[in-house]
Amino acid sequence: MSGHYGQDRWNVFTYGSLMISFVFQHVTGRCPRSVEATLHHWKRFRVENESFPAIIPAHDSTVNGIVWIGLTPEELARLDEFEGHFYERVNVDVSDAAGLRYPAEAYRWSKSDGLIDAPWDLDWFKAVGIKEFSSKYL
């Protein structure tokens, strides 16, 4: 199966814990090239009783994150396992600050409940949320 970035390679847009390079490397085994990117027409929500977020489609919203370039099928499988059954991988298009577009995969929330309409903040996660997250998931 051919990916977004040539034969058997995929781009993956991340918007939460996987924006942090050591978390991404822990899950996939490496840190490929990455670019700050924006996903249009989606919104990030806090997940109830968790320190990580989720996204769902939302017409008038954008989500800032990181697009990781050229993941292998094995790395993508590790991400699928890490994200678990609460997320589903979908095709999206993201753009960088210069407007360059990247076809990518992103993990959207797959349940009908469990989200809190409150902002999720990367700086808070790095300072506070990462401790609980690491002990539970890494």
Side-chain angles (χ1 to χ4, degrees):
M1 181 179 197
S2 182
H4 299 299
Y5 187 74
Q7 190 67 24
D8 294 328
R9 297 288 177 151
W10 284 263
N11 302 331
V12 174
F13 176 75
T14 61
Y15 53 84
S17 62
L18 289 167
M19 292 172 61
I20 300 171
S21 59
F22 89 82
V23 175
F24 194 89
Q25 183 169 355
H26 180 83
V27 173
T28 65
R30 74 177 178 113
C31 278
R33 184 171 76 89
S34 64
V35 177
E36 290 184 9
T38 301
L39 175 62
H40 296 275
H41 309 298
W42 289 76
K43 185 173 180 179
R44 180 173 30 217
F45 290 86
R46 291 186 56 205
V47 174
E48 190 172 31
N49 300 318
E50 293 290 356
S51 59
F52 55 83
I55 58 171
I56 60 172
H59 180 68
D60 292 331
S61 294
T62 59
V63 176
N64 293 324
I66 302 288
V67 62
W68 300 90
I69 309 297
L71 275 69
T72 66
E74 294 80 16
E75 293 163 341
L76 198 59
R78 288 182 191 139
L79 286 171
D80 287 347
E81 183 177 340
F82 177 75
E83 293 292 5
H85 66 280
F86 291 124
Y87 293 88
E88 65 181 331
R89 186 163 36 96
V90 296
N91 295 318
V92 296
D93 285 309
V94 298
S95 56
D96 65 14
L100 184 61
R101 294 180 59 178
Y102 297 83
E105 305 286 307
Y107 290 89
R108 68 164 281 162
W109 190 246
S110 63
K111 296 174 54 178
S112 61
D113 62 353
L115 299 180
I116 302 167
D117 192 3
W120 181 88
D121 182 74
L122 182 60
D123 291 332
W124 170 86
F125 183 78
K126 287 177 178 178
V128 178
I130 191 69
K131 293 173 184 92
E132 177 187 342
F133 178 86
S134 294
S135 69
K136 287 172 75 173
Y137 302 107
L138 298 182

